[in-house]
Amino acid sequence: MNPYQDKVAVITGAGSGIGRELAQLLAQRGARLALSDVDEQGLAETRRRCGDAATIRTYRLDVSQRAGVFAHADDVKRDFGGAHFIFNNAGVSLAATFEHMTIEELEWLLGINLWGVVYGTKAFLPMMLAQREGRIVNISSIFGFVGVPAQSAYNISKFAVRGLNECLWAELEGTGVQVTSVHPGGIRTNIDKAAPLGKFAGDYEKGVLETVSRMLVTPPEQCAREIVDGVARGHRRIVTGKSAGLTDLVARLSPKHYGKVLAWMGLRGPYAHLGSGR
């Protein structure tokens, strides 16, 4: 069965990366698409790649703006009559230790990665509950499983998205609305270039960014395919990308000691060379 045929799928951050690949796959599977991004040029390219056969509308949207996201839900309802899938995919990154990160930088990242997901979920949930049908797909990360140095803002956002998803599993039971928590890892997108270094970041953060960037090897089209297939099968959790499953396993089996694995991978804390002081 193809659960996407003639259904309305909403995708944020559709102007590049995983969002673009999701749009192309869903267009191939007969979905009607409401695509949004702040990058209108990238959004236009995504629409072109989806082909002429698909029913598509594009919207410029900053997911960190609550009023804009709720207005977007109203627009989608007006244009399509409702929504059956919402992929809260828009996201950014920042390389900075918590010490070096400014409050403004933290607020900026959480505005997109966390509040964008909260707003998207809250805005589209009522129409899904009313039709007793829907699937909310919220993109967390393998950084929602493990805390990584110089990624505290990203960790905060992705752990929080995971928590929201797992709470909604219980709260929405029996409503016809389901939630999928997606945890990509090592996906080769441009997220590491969106805002890679904090204002006060130094050589340490540059080194972490280089290490993390070398791990981005899985093509976004592979990630998108696993998400689309997993959602179609009704999976609550999708872990995708190079070493993502192993990261999940290590975090669950050894939550107190996975830092040693990260250190072995080159992700040591900025003061690790000083020792514990005890």
PDB file of all heavy atoms in Angstrom, residues 114-137:
ATOM      1  N   LEU A 114      13.931  23.906  17.911  1.00  0.00           N
ATOM      2  CA  LEU A 114      12.970  23.455  18.920  1.00  0.00           C
ATOM      3  C   LEU A 114      11.619  24.118  18.742  1.00  0.00           C
ATOM      4  O   LEU A 114      10.605  23.443  18.539  1.00  0.00           O
ATOM      5  CB  LEU A 114      13.510  23.708  20.326  1.00  0.00           C
ATOM      6  CG  LEU A 114      12.541  23.387  21.480  1.00  0.00           C
ATOM      7  CD1 LEU A 114      12.038  21.953  21.389  1.00  0.00           C
ATOM      8  CD2 LEU A 114      13.191  23.670  22.820  1.00  0.00           C
ATOM      9  N   TRP A 115      11.587  25.458  18.823  1.00  0.00           N
ATOM     10  CA  TRP A 115      10.295  26.129  18.733  1.00  0.00           C
ATOM     11  C   TRP A 115       9.656  25.938  17.361  1.00  0.00           C
ATOM     12  O   TRP A 115       8.420  25.870  17.248  1.00  0.00           O
ATOM     13  CB  TRP A 115      10.439  27.609  19.075  1.00  0.00           C
ATOM     14  CG  TRP A 115      10.533  27.821  20.556  1.00  0.00           C
ATOM     15  CD1 TRP A 115      11.642  28.171  21.278  1.00  0.00           C
ATOM     16  CD2 TRP A 115       9.484  27.630  21.506  1.00  0.00           C
ATOM     17  NE1 TRP A 115      11.338  28.220  22.610  1.00  0.00           N
ATOM     18  CE2 TRP A 115      10.025  27.902  22.787  1.00  0.00           C
ATOM     19  CE3 TRP A 115       8.145  27.268  21.409  1.00  0.00           C
ATOM     20  CZ2 TRP A 115       9.266  27.815  23.950  1.00  0.00           C
ATOM     21  CZ3 TRP A 115       7.386  27.176  22.566  1.00  0.00           C
ATOM     22  CH2 TRP A 115       7.946  27.450  23.811  1.00  0.00           C
ATOM     23  N   GLY A 116      10.471  25.809  16.315  1.00  0.00           N
ATOM     24  CA  GLY A 116       9.906  25.528  14.992  1.00  0.00           C
ATOM     25  C   GLY A 116       9.144  24.218  14.973  1.00  0.00           C
ATOM     26  O   GLY A 116       8.070  24.099  14.372  1.00  0.00           O
ATOM     27  N   VAL A 117       9.678  23.204  15.661  1.00  0.00           N
ATOM     28  CA  VAL A 117       9.004  21.909  15.765  1.00  0.00           C
ATOM     29  C   VAL A 117       7.761  22.025  16.643  1.00  0.00           C
ATOM     30  O   VAL A 117       6.693  21.482  16.309  1.00  0.00           O
ATOM     31  CB  VAL A 117       9.971  20.850  16.331  1.00  0.00           C
ATOM     32  CG1 VAL A 117       9.235  19.554  16.632  1.00  0.00           C
ATOM     33  CG2 VAL A 117      11.110  20.597  15.342  1.00  0.00           C
ATOM     34  N   VAL A 118       7.891  22.720  17.761  1.00  0.00           N
ATOM     35  CA  VAL A 118       6.739  22.900  18.659  1.00  0.00           C
ATOM     36  C   VAL A 118       5.612  23.629  17.929  1.00  0.00           C
ATOM     37  O   VAL A 118       4.441  23.205  17.971  1.00  0.00           O
ATOM     38  CB  VAL A 118       7.157  23.673  19.923  1.00  0.00           C
ATOM     39  CG1 VAL A 118       5.926  24.063  20.746  1.00  0.00           C
ATOM     40  CG2 VAL A 118       8.121  22.847  20.765  1.00  0.00           C
ATOM     41  N   TYR A 119       5.941  24.735  17.273  1.00  0.00           N
ATOM     42  CA  TYR A 119       4.912  25.500  16.558  1.00  0.00           C
ATOM     43  C   TYR A 119       4.272  24.659  15.452  1.00  0.00           C
ATOM     44  O   TYR A 119       3.036  24.663  15.296  1.00  0.00           O
ATOM     45  CB  TYR A 119       5.517  26.764  15.932  1.00  0.00           C
ATOM     46  CG  TYR A 119       6.049  27.777  16.910  1.00  0.00           C
ATOM     47  CD1 TYR A 119       7.099  28.635  16.545  1.00  0.00           C
ATOM     48  CD2 TYR A 119       5.534  27.897  18.196  1.00  0.00           C
ATOM     49  CE1 TYR A 119       7.601  29.578  17.423  1.00  0.00           C
ATOM     50  CE2 TYR A 119       6.035  28.833  19.094  1.00  0.00           C
ATOM     51  CZ  TYR A 119       7.075  29.675  18.696  1.00  0.00           C
ATOM     52  OH  TYR A 119       7.578  30.601  19.572  1.00  0.00           O
ATOM     53  N   GLY A 120       5.109  23.952  14.673  1.00  0.00           N
ATOM     54  CA  GLY A 120       4.571  23.143  13.584  1.00  0.00           C
ATOM     55  C   GLY A 120       3.651  22.049  14.090  1.00  0.00           C
ATOM     56  O   GLY A 120       2.579  21.795  13.513  1.00  0.00           O
ATOM     57  N   THR A 121       4.059  21.396  15.161  1.00  0.00           N
ATOM     58  CA  THR A 121       3.231  20.339  15.737  1.00  0.00           C
ATOM     59  C   THR A 121       1.923  20.908  16.274  1.00  0.00           C
ATOM     60  O   THR A 121       0.829  20.374  16.025  1.00  0.00           O
ATOM     61  CB  THR A 121       4.000  19.623  16.866  1.00  0.00           C
ATOM     62  OG1 THR A 121       5.211  19.066  16.337  1.00  0.00           O
ATOM     63  CG2 THR A 121       3.169  18.518  17.475  1.00  0.00           C
ATOM     64  N   LYS A 122       2.021  21.991  17.012  1.00  0.00           N
ATOM     65  CA  LYS A 122       0.837  22.611  17.629  1.00  0.00           C
ATOM     66  C   LYS A 122      -0.118  23.166  16.571  1.00  0.00           C
ATOM     67  O   LYS A 122      -1.348  23.073  16.722  1.00  0.00           O
ATOM     68  CB  LYS A 122       1.294  23.739  18.554  1.00  0.00           C
ATOM     69  CG  LYS A 122       0.216  24.309  19.453  1.00  0.00           C
ATOM     70  CD  LYS A 122      -0.198  23.351  20.544  1.00  0.00           C
ATOM     71  CE  LYS A 122      -1.119  24.027  21.560  1.00  0.00           C
ATOM     72  NZ  LYS A 122      -1.677  23.065  22.520  1.00  0.00           N
ATOM     73  N   ALA A 123       0.421  23.718  15.493  1.00  0.00           N
ATOM     74  CA  ALA A 123      -0.417  24.356  14.478  1.00  0.00           C
ATOM     75  C   ALA A 123      -1.193  23.341  13.641  1.00  0.00           C
ATOM     76  O   ALA A 123      -2.344  23.598  13.248  1.00  0.00           O
ATOM     77  CB  ALA A 123       0.453  25.228  13.570  1.00  0.00           C
ATOM     78  N   PHE A 124      -0.581  22.196  13.349  1.00  0.00           N
ATOM     79  CA  PHE A 124      -1.230  21.231  12.469  1.00  0.00           C
ATOM     80  C   PHE A 124      -1.978  20.132  13.216  1.00  0.00           C
ATOM     81  O   PHE A 124      -2.784  19.413  12.617  1.00  0.00           O
ATOM     82  CB  PHE A 124      -0.197  20.605  11.515  1.00  0.00           C
ATOM     83  CG  PHE A 124       0.196  21.520  10.406  1.00  0.00           C
ATOM     84  CD1 PHE A 124       1.289  22.374  10.538  1.00  0.00           C
ATOM     85  CD2 PHE A 124      -0.531  21.565   9.228  1.00  0.00           C
ATOM     86  CE1 PHE A 124       1.650  23.240   9.517  1.00  0.00           C
ATOM     87  CE2 PHE A 124      -0.185  22.428   8.197  1.00  0.00           C
ATOM     88  CZ  PHE A 124       0.909  23.269   8.340  1.00  0.00           C
ATOM     89  N   LEU A 125      -1.732  19.998  14.521  1.00  0.00           N
ATOM     90  CA  LEU A 125      -2.388  18.938  15.282  1.00  0.00           C
ATOM     91  C   LEU A 125      -3.912  19.057  15.287  1.00  0.00           C
ATOM     92  O   LEU A 125      -4.604  18.031  15.121  1.00  0.00           O
ATOM     93  CB  LEU A 125      -1.849  18.917  16.717  1.00  0.00           C
ATOM     94  CG  LEU A 125      -2.442  17.861  17.647  1.00  0.00           C
ATOM     95  CD1 LEU A 125      -2.219  16.460  17.099  1.00  0.00           C
ATOM     96  CD2 LEU A 125      -1.836  17.995  19.051  1.00  0.00           C
ATOM     97  N   PRO A 126      -4.498  20.243  15.467  1.00  0.00           N
ATOM     98  CA  PRO A 126      -5.967  20.309  15.537  1.00  0.00           C
ATOM     99  C   PRO A 126      -6.664  19.751  14.302  1.00  0.00           C
ATOM    100  O   PRO A 126      -7.675  19.025  14.437  1.00  0.00           O
ATOM    101  CB  PRO A 126      -6.247  21.809  15.707  1.00  0.00           C
ATOM    102  CG  PRO A 126      -5.014  22.337  16.378  1.00  0.00           C
ATOM    103  CD  PRO A 126      -3.885  21.563  15.773  1.00  0.00           C
ATOM    104  N   MET A 127      -6.169  20.052  13.107  1.00  0.00           N
ATOM    105  CA  MET A 127      -6.843  19.549  11.903  1.00  0.00           C
ATOM    106  C   MET A 127      -6.685  18.038  11.785  1.00  0.00           C
ATOM    107  O   MET A 127      -7.578  17.343  11.297  1.00  0.00           O
ATOM    108  CB  MET A 127      -6.368  20.287  10.653  1.00  0.00           C
ATOM    109  CG  MET A 127      -4.935  20.066  10.235  1.00  0.00           C
ATOM    110  SD  MET A 127      -4.520  21.008   8.723  1.00  0.00           S
ATOM    111  CE  MET A 127      -4.282  22.663   9.398  1.00  0.00           C
ATOM    112  N   MET A 128      -5.550  17.502  12.248  1.00  0.00           N
ATOM    113  CA  MET A 128      -5.354  16.057  12.218  1.00  0.00           C
ATOM    114  C   MET A 128      -6.272  15.357  13.219  1.00  0.00           C
ATOM    115  O   MET A 128      -6.848  14.306  12.921  1.00  0.00           O
ATOM    116  CB  MET A 128      -3.890  15.719  12.507  1.00  0.00           C
ATOM    117  CG  MET A 128      -2.932  16.133  11.412  1.00  0.00           C
ATOM    118  SD  MET A 128      -1.221  15.644  11.774  1.00  0.00           S
ATOM    119  CE  MET A 128      -0.410  16.117  10.238  1.00  0.00           C
ATOM    120  N   LEU A 129      -6.417  15.942  14.405  1.00  0.00           N
ATOM    121  CA  LEU A 129      -7.326  15.374  15.398  1.00  0.00           C
ATOM    122  C   LEU A 129      -8.767  15.419  14.897  1.00  0.00           C
ATOM    123  O   LEU A 129      -9.537  14.459  15.114  1.00  0.00           O
ATOM    124  CB  LEU A 129      -7.202  16.135  16.724  1.00  0.00           C
ATOM    125  CG  LEU A 129      -5.913  15.913  17.521  1.00  0.00           C
ATOM    126  CD1 LEU A 129      -5.849  16.872  18.705  1.00  0.00           C
ATOM    127  CD2 LEU A 129      -5.820  14.469  18.001  1.00  0.00           C
ATOM    128  N   ALA A 130      -9.121  16.504  14.233  1.00  0.00           N
ATOM    129  CA  ALA A 130     -10.497  16.640  13.733  1.00  0.00           C
ATOM    130  C   ALA A 130     -10.811  15.591  12.676  1.00  0.00           C
ATOM    131  O   ALA A 130     -11.934  15.063  12.632  1.00  0.00           O
ATOM    132  CB  ALA A 130     -10.705  18.048  13.161  1.00  0.00           C
ATOM    133  N   GLN A 131      -9.828  15.271  11.835  1.00  0.00           N
ATOM    134  CA  GLN A 131     -10.062  14.267  10.796  1.00  0.00           C
ATOM    135  C   GLN A 131      -9.714  12.845  11.273  1.00  0.00           C
ATOM    136  O   GLN A 131      -9.903  11.886  10.537  1.00  0.00           O
ATOM    137  CB  GLN A 131      -9.256  14.614   9.537  1.00  0.00           C
ATOM    138  CG  GLN A 131      -7.756  14.567   9.718  1.00  0.00           C
ATOM    139  CD  GLN A 131      -6.974  15.326   8.656  1.00  0.00           C
ATOM    140  OE1 GLN A 131      -7.518  16.192   7.946  1.00  0.00           O
ATOM    141  NE2 GLN A 131      -5.691  15.015   8.515  1.00  0.00           N
ATOM    142  N   ARG A 132      -9.209  12.764  12.534  1.00  0.00           N
ATOM    143  CA  ARG A 132      -8.819  11.481  13.147  1.00  0.00           C
ATOM    144  C   ARG A 132      -7.853  10.702  12.265  1.00  0.00           C
ATOM    145  O   ARG A 132      -7.889   9.473  12.182  1.00  0.00           O
ATOM    146  CB  ARG A 132     -10.048  10.625  13.492  1.00  0.00           C
ATOM    147  CG  ARG A 132     -10.949  11.256  14.536  1.00  0.00           C
ATOM    148  CD  ARG A 132     -12.009  10.288  15.038  1.00  0.00           C
ATOM    149  NE  ARG A 132     -11.423   9.120  15.715  1.00  0.00           N
ATOM    150  CZ  ARG A 132     -10.990   9.122  16.973  1.00  0.00           C
ATOM    151  NH1 ARG A 132     -11.069  10.248  17.698  1.00  0.00           N
ATOM    152  NH2 ARG A 132     -10.493   8.025  17.508  1.00  0.00           N
ATOM    153  N   GLU A 133      -6.945  11.450  11.692  1.00  0.00           N
ATOM    154  CA  GLU A 133      -5.949  10.857  10.797  1.00  0.00           C
ATOM    155  C   GLU A 133      -4.784  11.828  10.650  1.00  0.00           C
ATOM    156  O   GLU A 133      -4.994  13.022  10.422  1.00  0.00           O
ATOM    157  CB  GLU A 133      -6.556  10.573   9.418  1.00  0.00           C
ATOM    158  CG  GLU A 133      -5.553  10.021   8.421  1.00  0.00           C
ATOM    159  CD  GLU A 133      -6.110   9.942   7.006  1.00  0.00           C
ATOM    160  OE1 GLU A 133      -7.249  10.402   6.781  1.00  0.00           O
ATOM    161  OE2 GLU A 133      -5.390   9.451   6.122  1.00  0.00           O
ATOM    162  N   GLY A 134      -3.580  11.315  10.778  1.00  0.00           N
ATOM    163  CA  GLY A 134      -2.423  12.173  10.548  1.00  0.00           C
ATOM    164  C   GLY A 134      -1.157  11.542  11.086  1.00  0.00           C
ATOM    165  O   GLY A 134      -1.196  10.632  11.919  1.00  0.00           O
ATOM    166  N   ARG A 135      -0.045  12.025  10.580  1.00  0.00           N
ATOM    167  CA  ARG A 135       1.269  11.563  11.053  1.00  0.00           C
ATOM    168  C   ARG A 135       2.170  12.791  11.196  1.00  0.00           C
ATOM    169  O   ARG A 135       2.408  13.514  10.243  1.00  0.00           O
ATOM    170  CB  ARG A 135       1.874  10.577  10.067  1.00  0.00           C
ATOM    171  CG  ARG A 135       3.325  10.204  10.330  1.00  0.00           C
ATOM    172  CD  ARG A 135       3.514   9.307  11.526  1.00  0.00           C
ATOM    173  NE  ARG A 135       3.009   7.957  11.340  1.00  0.00           N
ATOM    174  CZ  ARG A 135       3.309   6.929  12.131  1.00  0.00           C
ATOM    175  NH1 ARG A 135       4.122   7.099  13.168  1.00  0.00           N
ATOM    176  NH2 ARG A 135       2.778   5.736  11.925  1.00  0.00           N
ATOM    177  N   ILE A 136       2.639  13.011  12.420  1.00  0.00           N
ATOM    178  CA  ILE A 136       3.585  14.085  12.718  1.00  0.00           C
ATOM    179  C   ILE A 136       4.984  13.471  12.711  1.00  0.00           C
ATOM    180  O   ILE A 136       5.257  12.533  13.467  1.00  0.00           O
ATOM    181  CB  ILE A 136       3.278  14.727  14.075  1.00  0.00           C
ATOM    182  CG1 ILE A 136       1.884  15.359  14.061  1.00  0.00           C
ATOM    183  CG2 ILE A 136       4.338  15.770  14.441  1.00  0.00           C
ATOM    184  CD1 ILE A 136       1.363  15.702  15.442  1.00  0.00           C
ATOM    185  N   VAL A 137       5.861  13.998  11.863  1.00  0.00           N
ATOM    186  CA  VAL A 137       7.217  13.478  11.743  1.00  0.00           C
ATOM    187  C   VAL A 137       8.175  14.584  12.170  1.00  0.00           C
ATOM    188  O   VAL A 137       8.372  15.566  11.449  1.00  0.00           O
ATOM    189  CB  VAL A 137       7.529  13.029  10.298  1.00  0.00           C
ATOM    190  CG1 VAL A 137       8.915  12.394  10.223  1.00  0.00           C
ATOM    191  CG2 VAL A 137       6.459  12.062   9.798  1.00  0.00           C
TER     192      VAL A 137
END
